[in-house]
Amino acid sequence: MTQRTVLAIAVPIVISNLSTPLLGIADTAVMGRLGDPKYIGAVAIGALIFTLVYWTFGFLRMGTTGLTAQALGANDGAEIRAALGRALLIAGAVGSALILAQWPIREIAFALLDGGPEVEPLARTYFDIRIWSAPWALANYALVGWFIGLGRAKVALVLQVFLNLVNIFFNIVLALGLGWGVAGIAAGTLIAEVCAAALGLAVAARHLRFYPGQWTRARLLDAAQLARTIAVNRDIMIRTVVLMLSFAWFTAKSAEAGPLTLAVNSILLQFVTVSAFFLDGFALAAEALVGRAVGARHRADFDRAVRLSTLWAAGIALLLSFGIFAAGGAAIDFLSIDDGVRATARVYLLWAAALPVLSVWCYQLDGIFIGATRGAEMRNAALASSLLFLGLWWLFLPFGNHGLWAALAGFNLMRAASLGFYLPRLRRAI
């Protein structure tokens, strides 16, 4: 295991992450050409619903990566095949359940997200079309996780870029060319998710030839392995929901502080999100390499995977923090023309600049524990960190928005500290 091994996984993931915002920009540009802001709002609300719903099942990506990497490390070709098969079965079952439950999901979502009388009907149209992509979208999570677990990050990159390009093409053709509007955006996304899953399955079929065996019912439904898969995915799902609720709380409290604070925090969070695109690449490298070491039961490889991926991540985090601090003012001016927003955002810029360095440790430890499929520890850490976040928010209320950002920083530090507490135990178990 060398630095080149780490970069071979991390770099394609970073490029893949950076390609994702292009889709949102393209959707906004297409809707913007229809001449009424209600179209942009409808797509934004509809896309937000699916982001929340689908990412709740993000365990299909994370759990599959860890389980596959461990099977690879153990040189168990049959289990490598089965890890993908079980993930696809879960994706199909959950996706079908989401389609069957679309009415309550839609009504609850729009009860929480009030888009107004002009926007909501269009957003409902978006929802009613895109919900049919659920099995395919979740299958894409499983396929990407499987390829990353195999260390085939370039394949994951190709699938993500292919999905985005197909999506942009059909969005333009259907929404503008055929005049379908919001329905065209939803249909374009549906087609892209189906096409990406089909391509992913075709590529996976070629890779399966390297791992002799067949998908047998007995292997796929092996009680012990199925129970382990469900347990890992369940705990990661709880962890993911808890983290999402914590960030939603941050946004909600930003909104309560007024439009200016909400605008400022939204801009600064964009810097944090872009930083995460870079840091996630090295966390994913840790997932694959740690999983491989755990599967092989090789502690030296585990130590080397942790050390190399973390050194790279820490170095990138320092560069990101310096870049945000140095260029943040210019970026703020580009993102807003309002003098009040520009001036206020500069007051809190230091928090956004500090977060990459403060957060890199929890990202890396997430990757390590996902690779080791230690979902219970991740669940416990997320719950403890969220409780601390709420406590810090209440404690720092007198400090206003500075206090809110301090609570968020404390939240990420607690995520790192709580997982760090479990790390020696994990290492001894290898």
Side-chain angles (χ1 to χ4, degrees):
M1 187 183 305
T2 65
Q3 294 188 15
R4 181 175 294 181
T5 309
V6 174
L7 293 176
I9 299 173
V11 172
I13 297 301
V14 170
I15 297 172
S16 174
N17 286 342
L18 292 175
S19 75
T20 301
L22 296 177
L23 179 58
I25 293 170
D27 285 353
T28 301
V30 170
M31 290 295 93
R33 295 184 67 84
L34 297 180
D36 193 319
K38 68 182 181 183
Y39 297 111
I40 296 176
V43 171
I45 290 177
L48 175 61
I49 292 171
F50 284 99
T51 297
L52 295 175
V53 171
Y54 287 166
W55 193 237
T56 299
F57 301 100
F59 61 77
L60 279 168
R61 204 283 302 154
M62 292 177 273
T64 305
T65 295
L67 293 168
T68 303
Q70 289 182 28
L72 181 65
N75 198 29
D76 187 345
E79 186 56 30
I80 289 173
R81 300 175 67 92
L84 176 60
R86 293 189 199 103
L88 291 174
L89 285 175
I90 294 172
V94 172
S96 299
L98 289 175
I99 291 174
L100 292 174
Q102 62 182 281
W103 185 85
I105 294 172
R106 181 182 61 233
E107 297 310 312
I108 292 171
F110 285 105
L112 297 173
L113 297 170
D114 183 9
E118 290 189 338
V119 171
E120 185 169 315
L122 293 169
R124 284 176 174 269
T125 298
Y126 180 98
F127 179 94
D128 291 342
I129 295 172
R130 191 175 169 189
I131 188 64
W132 293 93
S133 73
W136 305 98
L138 298 182
N140 283 322
Y141 282 4
L143 287 161
V144 167
W146 189 70
F147 283 119
I148 293 173
L150 292 177
R152 305 284 185 172
K154 290 181 181 178
V155 177
L157 167 62
V158 169
L159 291 178
Q160 184 63 50
V161 172
F162 174 77
L163 186 151
N164 290 341
L165 291 177
V166 172
N167 201 345
I168 290 170
F169 172 78
F170 279 102
N171 285 356
I172 294 172
V173 171
L174 299 178
L176 291 182
L178 298 182
W180 290 9
V182 171
I185 295 290
T189 304
L190 167 60
I191 292 170
E193 287 172 331
V194 172
C195 290
L199 176 62
L201 289 170
V203 177
R206 292 178 61 86
H207 279 75
L208 285 172
R209 292 186 298 181
F210 297 108
Y211 309 104
Q214 294 181 340
W215 278 341
T216 64
R217 181 177 179 180
R219 184 79 187 196
L220 291 176
L221 301 181
D222 177 84
Q225 289 293 347
L226 196 58
R228 181 189 180 208
T229 300
I230 292 172
V232 168
N233 289 337
R234 177 201 63 212
D235 290 332
I236 293 176
M237 178 180 178
I238 294 171
R239 167 259 185 195
T240 302
V241 170
V242 168
L243 296 186
M244 286 171 57
L245 290 175
S246 298
F247 284 104
W249 183 270
F250 180 91
T251 301
K253 295 307 166 184
S254 299
E256 286 181 12
L260 177 61
T261 299
L262 178 60
V264 165
N265 287 356
S266 297
I267 288 173
L268 296 179
L269 281 175
Q270 294 300 313
F271 301 160
V272 177
T273 300
V274 171
S275 299
F277 288 159
F278 287 89
L279 299 179
D280 273 351
F282 295 95
L284 285 165
E287 287 182 33
L289 298 176
V290 164
R292 203 177 302 176
V294 169
R297 303 192 64 79
H298 201 293
R299 187 179 296 170
D301 281 353
F302 172 85
D303 290 341
R304 189 163 179 80
V306 170
R307 183 173 65 255
L308 288 177
S309 62
T310 302
L311 282 173
W312 271 103
I316 296 297
L318 282 170
L319 291 175
L320 289 167
S321 288
F322 177 77
I324 293 171
F325 181 76
I332 290 168
D333 292 345
F334 175 76
L335 293 171
S336 176
I337 61 172
D338 185 276
D339 291 336
V341 171
R342 287 177 169 182
T344 307
R346 281 173 166 79
V347 173
Y348 301 103
L349 177 62
L350 189 60
W351 287 110
L355 271 175
V357 170
L358 297 178
S359 304
V360 62
W361 317 109
C362 69
Y363 292 161
Q364 280 300 111
L365 283 162
D366 272 351
I368 291 165
F369 278 80
I370 288 170
T373 59
R374 295 299 186 101
E377 288 89 340
M378 297 180 67
R379 177 200 63 207
N380 295 341
L383 289 169
S385 301
S386 294
L387 288 174
L388 178 70
F389 173 58
L390 293 176
L392 292 175
W393 163 77
W394 179 82
L395 184 65
F396 295 153
L397 274 175
F399 300 98
N401 200 38
H402 280 297
L404 186 60
W405 278 98
L408 182 63
F411 170 64
N412 282 342
L413 288 172
M414 180 60 180
R415 288 171 60 194
S418 51
L419 286 175
F421 171 78
Y422 291 116
L423 186 60
R425 184 190 306 177
L426 168 60
R427 185 178 180 276
R428 288 195 299 270
I430 300 174

